[in-house]
Amino acid sequence: MEFYIVNVLILFICLYLLSTVSKLNSRVKGLEYTLEQISKQVDVPESPINNELRQILKEGNDVKAVKRVRETLGLSLIEAKQYIDVLKLEVK
């Protein structure tokens, strides 16, 4: 009986944490969108790493570019790949 109560308690804690992380993720996305809009209006210069990444892409080394983005900007693999895909469109 005690084992069952502990399992249910752990389940509720996990669900609460999952819900909290989901809400935080939504807030971060909203803040990123707001920051992007502000940076467009203020004309903030692009990240200095972009020139290095463009050079790596011209050499045809997409994997190295994704790795460099992940190291420098701290993005996930998917986010880094999307970042590089946008830069690749500019390079072509």
Side-chain angles (χ1 to χ4, degrees):
M1 182 69 177
E2 292 176 19
F3 185 71
Y4 177 74
I5 294 172
V6 171
N7 282 340
V8 170
L9 183 60
I10 291 173
L11 178 65
F12 281 120
I13 291 171
C14 289
L15 289 174
Y16 172 76
L17 291 175
L18 182 63
S19 171
T20 303
V21 168
S22 177
K23 289 177 188 175
L24 288 173
N25 191 28
S26 296
R27 289 186 68 189
V28 167
K29 286 186 180 192
L31 290 171
E32 286 174 344
Y33 176 77
T34 302
L35 183 60
E36 183 179 327
Q37 297 303 312
I38 291 170
S39 67
K40 285 180 182 177
Q41 290 184 1
V42 178
D43 198 28
V44 175
E46 70 178 5
S47 177
I49 189 74
N50 287 354
N51 291 332
E52 179 185 343
L53 294 172
R54 285 186 187 100
Q55 184 61 37
I56 293 171
L57 290 172
K58 285 180 184 175
E59 296 169 1
N61 201 341
D62 294 7
V63 174
K64 184 177 177 182
V66 169
K67 182 178 178 182
R68 184 76 173 117
V69 168
R70 293 192 70 199
E71 291 170 351
T72 306
L73 302 178
L75 300 177
S76 71
L77 181 60
I78 294 171
E79 292 168 331
K81 176 71 171 104
Q82 291 170 345
Y83 192 93
I84 292 302
D85 288 343
V86 170
L87 281 178
K88 280 173 69 172
L89 293 175
E90 295 175 9
V91 170
K92 292 183 179 183

